[in-house]
Amino acid sequence: MDRQRSKGRVTLAAAAAMCAVAVLPGQAHAAGGPEAYAFDPAAKTVSGTRTNAGAPELKSGSVYRSSIEAGEKLYYRVELDQVTNAFVSAVAVPRQAGKAAYGDGVKVSLRNLDDLACGSGNANFGSAEFTRPIAAYAHRIVEPGEGGTGTCGEAGTYNVLVERESKASSDPGTWDLELRFASEPALRSGVSKPTEAPEDWPSSSPTPPSGRQERSGGSSYHTATGLETGEWADTVAPGQTLFYRVPVDWGQQLFATAALSNSEGGESAEFLGSALALSLDNPVLGHVDGATTSYAGKPASVALDPLPPVAYENRYDFASDVSAMAFAGWYYLSVALDPEVAEHYGDTPVELTLRVSVTGKAGESPYAGDAGVFGVSGEDREMARNGQSAPEAEKSGTMTVVAASGIGTGTVLVLGLGVWTLLGRRRSPAPQAVPPAPQPPFGGAPPPAR
């Protein structure tokens, strides 16, 4: 009896898996231009409020979609306990190929009900004055031994304030927002972590293995393409932003360089300052570091500054690029090319080379139980090795369920039809016996008489 029930569950699981494959959303493409930002399809739509009273609640582990106007300040809220570290991020998604001024960007702060900031972070377009997706985060860190005390240590409601800074000369259009709220797992019992960040670390960027391999970037954090140590070939169009993700474990260090080839689209010698932007964000989409370089139709490259190995104690450093390297997980690289490149060198995508190195031996997780987004699993490393995005890995896992069940699509359909046919036969009344028709003798009827 148990075996029969198990077989039924496997069959239903296979059928459900195939349905899931059928409805997996594809990435949206902008007609005649770079691919549009692919929002997480699980995101729930919420509207921020201009006062904190009645602000919509964000739940831990969930993703939300909202929007913000130029100069607007919007409130959301979260419920926190007195022991858990909390992180809230906002990805600002402006209109593609829009104009931005120096300092334009987004700021996120987590505040108590007396409007005292527990933590804040910001991201802006910097010297690369063209719009593209950027991410910022705020956090509430409960200091060791201070659970339930201090300005932000008590349990209760906290405000999340998202502010947009846009100059009068900037594109005034609405920006979409992708919001996330993540709670850090508790430390293992007896684990005591240092409370001071390291002061020095290796700064020499290693050379990744030679041999460029093709790997196409995604169009958002959700569809970011997995990378590991290596040299990766892609193309980037003017106005386009490409996303990649790299698993970096405890004790490991990340190095990254982006290089453009010379242009094939024209003979212009126009010098475009800060035309190529390279950015790095951590597993909770907090901005870590960014760099830009100019472009004049000739080969150009840009590299991130040497960053410290991932360590829990990095969070206690005052420098944001150090404190953001405080947990293991997927680190996100984005590469954006100024849309103005098309005006001088044509809109043909330019060849791009990403050189990525992850060094150091992976250390042990300090958390109790599943680390979630704050860790690196064997599956994560496999996804990076295969160049998979999260949706691709989900689809691949779904197909594995179907394969593991030993039942193919056609077989499931045939079995389903067979079951319905059998049930139909059992429910139909038995046919009445009909006497057989007379049969001709063997060899057929005799020939007619002459």
Side-chain angles (χ1 to χ4, degrees):
M1 188 64 177
D2 290 339
R3 284 188 177 183
Q4 294 301 323
R5 288 178 178 174
S6 297
K7 288 181 179 179
R9 284 193 292 267
V10 169
T11 304
L12 291 173
M18 286 183 295
C19 292
V21 172
V23 300
L24 279 177
Q27 298 176 17
H29 290 264
E35 191 172 333
Y37 186 88
F39 287 89
D40 189 329
K44 305 170 186 176
T45 300
V46 295
S47 297
T49 56
R50 295 188 177 184
T51 64
N52 68 319
E57 182 181 359
L58 309 180
K59 298 283 189 179
S60 181
S62 297
V63 185
Y64 299 86
R65 184 169 177 175
S66 191
S67 62
I68 190 169
E69 304 293 337
E72 199 168 31
K73 299 180 180 181
L74 296 178
Y75 282 93
Y76 307 85
R77 66 183 175 90
V78 293
E79 297 293 329
L80 304 182
D81 62 22
Q82 56 189 7
V83 295
T84 304
N85 296 331
F87 303 84
V88 180
S89 67
V91 179
V93 185
R95 182 180 66 86
Q96 285 183 331
K99 178 66 178 175
Y102 186 86
D104 284 1
V106 63
K107 179 181 179 180
V108 183
S109 57
L110 192 57
R111 320 173 79 86
N112 69 9
L113 293 183
D114 290 323
D115 204 37
L116 295 175
C118 310
S120 64
N122 63 76
N124 58 60
F125 303 112
S127 58
E129 298 178 357
F130 59 93
T131 58
R132 58 195 182 275
I134 52 176
Y137 80 149
H139 51 73
R140 190 282 298 266
I141 301 294
V142 179
E143 300 295 336
E146 292 187 3
T149 65
T151 302
C152 295
E154 297 180 354
T157 301
Y158 287 77
N159 294 322
V160 177
L161 180 60
V162 180
E163 305 174 68
R164 172 181 166 183
E165 173 68 26
S166 291
K167 306 293 190 302
S169 59
S170 305
D171 188 333
T174 302
W175 291 0
D176 287 320
L177 294 175
E178 195 170 47
L179 307 170
R180 289 174 174 82
F181 171 27
S183 300
E184 190 174 19
L187 294 175
R188 293 196 313 273
S189 178
V191 172
S192 178
K193 304 300 294 182
T195 56
E196 293 185 5
E199 296 182 358
D200 59 327
W201 50 82
S203 59
S204 179
S205 177
T207 302
S210 59
R212 296 169 77 239
Q213 302 178 62
E214 292 188 3
R215 195 66 64 88
S216 297
S219 62
S220 70
Y221 293 96
H222 177 64
T223 60
T225 300
L227 298 179
E228 59 180 356
T229 295
E231 189 174 74
W232 307 104
D234 201 351
T235 60
V236 58
Q240 184 177 31
T241 302
L242 299 173
F243 292 84
Y244 311 85
R245 59 179 189 163
V246 185
V248 186
D249 216 333
W250 297 100
Q252 293 187 322
Q253 195 172 5
L254 173 65
F255 299 87
T257 300
L260 286 179
S261 73
N262 58 295
S263 171
E264 298 180 0
E267 299 298 327
S268 173
E270 184 71 20
F271 178 86
L272 302 174
S274 301
L276 179 67
L278 174 64
S279 184
L280 177 68
D281 300 292
N282 67 20
V284 288
L285 300 191
H287 183 64
V288 179
D289 191 25
T292 63
T293 191
S294 59
Y295 189 65
K298 300 177 181 179
S301 67
V302 62
L304 296 175
D305 288 336
L307 297 164
V310 170
Y312 189 91
E313 57 268 25
N314 285 340
R315 65 191 63 201
Y316 301 112
D317 198 283
F318 290 107
S320 60
D321 59 341
V322 176
S323 63
M325 301 293 294
F327 18 71
W330 287 106
Y331 279 76
Y332 296 84
L333 290 166
S334 61
V335 179
L337 186 61
D338 191 338
E340 195 176 345
V341 169
E343 299 178 17
H344 304 283
Y345 299 99
D347 56 7
T348 301
V350 182
E351 290 186 59
L352 170 71
T353 302
L354 268 176
R355 295 180 177 87
V356 175
S357 293
V358 178
T359 63
K361 183 179 178 181
E364 186 180 11
S365 170
Y367 303 126
D370 184 13
V373 299
F374 298 90
V376 175
S377 66
E379 289 80 3
D380 292 337
R381 296 187 184 91
E382 186 67 19
M383 282 187 275
R385 189 174 304 116
N386 296 332
Q388 289 180 312
S389 65
E392 289 170 340
E394 182 181 358
K395 182 176 180 180
S396 175
T398 302
M399 294 309 297
T400 300
V401 170
V402 176
S405 70
I407 301 175
T409 305
T411 307
V412 171
L413 293 175
V414 170
L415 285 175
L417 290 172
V419 169
W420 285 112
T421 302
L422 179 59
L423 290 174
R425 286 178 176 176
R426 287 183 174 179
R427 291 171 182 169
S428 301
Q432 297 296 322
V434 179
Q439 298 295 322
F442 181 79
R450 295 184 179 181

